[in-house]
Amino acid sequence: MSNLVKISSFVRLMSFSAILTLSLCVNLLILSSSFSEVGESPINDGSGRIRMITEILDLKGHVEGGFFRRTYESDYTLELDDTRESRLSMTSIFYLLSSESPLGQFHSNRSDIMHFFHMGDPIEYYMIDPEGNLTTAVMGHDIRSGQVLQLVVPGGTWKASKIEEAGEYGYGLISEAVTPGFIYDDMTLGSRSYLQQLFPQHTKLIDDLLP
């Protein structure tokens, strides 16, 4: 019986992923069409391009920095084994960093997060696991140079992200799929004093990646 439950859950998650992919493709086609209509080139034109993207995708300011909008909530609830109450099996968002808000400050989420790169400038990620080990990654289209199109950040990891303010496009756009689904109670924003006490070996990095 447990195997049937696992198979059923897997099928549901695959269906959620297909719906999410279709939704993202539709939104990005609309965005690309808008660029073509106004004849924009891939050169940073300042706040005009960023304003257009945030308006088309209906993005709002995020507490950690950047801009976001929730794009999907599953209708399937997971009963969790840890101290949390039940959660939706998956949620997703658009997330954008821009030259106006180039930093996603250090924070930790209890759920796993899959990131998908869409368009714009490369985004640098800095991740510190609970043992204090630092890993880095760059999301972007240049896979020959080691940039990645997908990035998994396990729950419990402290993560920060940034783009170059003088980048070619002036923004970087991704999607995030969170499972179990995101709620703000599961997210912790890192303070400078707390993180430097927790990870003294990364004091300078923490200083650089907190506003």
Side-chain angles (χ1 to χ4, degrees), residues 9-40:
S9 298
F10 177 77
V11 170
R12 285 177 180 270
L13 286 175
M14 291 303 97
S15 299
F16 296 154
S17 297
I19 294 170
L20 172 61
T21 301
L22 178 59
S23 173
L24 295 178
C25 286
V26 170
N27 278 284
L28 290 173
L29 282 172
I30 293 171
L31 185 57
S32 297
S33 174
S34 298
F35 285 163
S36 299
E37 289 172 6
V38 297
E40 293 213 76

Side-chain angles (χ1 to χ4, degrees), residues 103-107 126-129 132 134 158-160 189-211:
L103 177 65
Q105 70 181 75
F106 267 114
H107 63 284
Y126 302 82
M127 296 155 285
I128 305 176
D129 70 19
L134 171 68
W158 288 94
K159 177 188 75 175
L189 283 174
S191 70
R192 183 172 279 99
S193 59
Y194 176 73
L195 288 178
Q196 289 180 346
Q197 181 178 6
L198 201 61
F199 307 118
Q201 69 273 38
H202 302 305
T203 293
K204 184 179 185 307
L205 178 69
I206 292 165
D207 259 340
D208 292 342
L209 295 174
L210 282 174

Side-chain angles (χ1 to χ4, degrees), residues 38-55:
V38 297
E40 293 213 76
S41 61
I43 299 174
N44 182 4
D45 68 346
S47 60
R49 168 180 282 269
I50 297 163
R51 184 167 56 252
M52 182 175 67
I53 293 173
T54 56
E55 289 176 356

Side-chain angles (χ1 to χ4, degrees), residues 139-160:
M139 296 200 74
H141 288 140
D142 190 0
I143 57 177
R144 289 177 299 180
S145 69
Q147 295 177 8
V148 297
L149 300 174
Q150 295 184 359
L151 176 67
V152 178
V153 177
T157 302
W158 288 94
K159 177 188 75 175

